[in-house]
Amino acid sequence: MTKYLLFVLLSIFICTSCTVITGFNITNLDENVKKINIGMTKNEIENLLSKKYYVASIQKTQDGTIEIIAYQGYKNFEYQFTFLDNKLIKLERMIYVPFKMYNESDTLKINN
C-alpha cells in the first residue's frame, strides 16, 4: 500500500511539475485561447496565457507598430497573435513542419 501511495504521489508531482516550474500550462492553452477576443491588449493575453511566448516579428508601418507573438502548442502547431499598436487584430493557429539543417554533403549533386 505504501509503494502504491508513493507511486501515485510521484506521478502527480511529475504531471504537474511543468506547470509549477514554468508557470505555463500547455494543456490549457487551447481552452484559454477560446477566451481571447479581437481588440484585447498584449498585456491581457499575457495575463490569460503567460509570458512564455516568442516574438516572431515586429515592424513599424504607417498604420502603427505591428507585432506578432507566438505560443508553441502541442506537437507541430503554434498560436500566433498579431497586434497593431498593442491591440489584437488577428489570431491564427499555425501548423509548422520542423526542418532539418543540411550539411553540404547532404545536398544532391546534379551533373550537367
Side-chain angles (χ1 to χ4, degrees):
M1 179 67 175
T2 303
K3 288 182 182 180
Y4 178 75
L5 182 61
L6 182 59
F7 175 75
V8 170
L9 290 175
L10 185 58
S11 297
I12 292 171
F13 174 75
I14 290 171
C15 291
T16 61
S17 62
C18 292
T19 300
V20 174
I21 292 169
T22 65
F24 179 58
N25 187 347
I26 198 165
T27 59
N28 291 332
L29 182 60
D30 286 329
E31 289 303 313
N32 287 336
V33 165
K34 293 176 185 176
K35 300 173 186 174
I36 292 173
N37 296 306
I38 297 296
M40 292 178 77
T41 66
K42 183 177 168 186
N43 190 42
E44 290 172 321
I45 291 178
E46 287 175 350
N47 290 336
L48 184 61
L49 300 179
S50 82
K51 293 185 180 184
K52 301 286 182 183
Y53 60 84
Y54 70 91
V55 176
S57 173
I58 189 166
Q59 63 183 353
K60 185 78 171 164
T61 68
Q62 64 185 11
D63 296 326
T65 301
I66 297 175
E67 182 177 9
I68 301 172
I69 65 171
Y71 289 87
Q72 187 171 356
Y74 280 121
K75 303 203 181 194
N76 294 335
F77 79 86
E78 69 184 15
Y79 288 102
Q80 288 188 352
F81 300 86
T82 304
F83 298 91
L84 176 61
D85 292 332
N86 201 35
K87 296 284 186 182
L88 183 67
I89 60 169
K90 184 178 180 182
L91 166 60
E92 292 181 280
R93 183 176 184 202
M94 306 292 290
I95 296 173
Y96 61 92
V97 178
F99 65 92
K100 175 184 175 191
M101 296 297 290
Y102 292 96
N103 294 326
E104 186 175 324
S105 61
D106 293 333
T107 58
L108 290 174
K109 305 273 189 216
I110 299 174
N111 296 326
N112 292 332

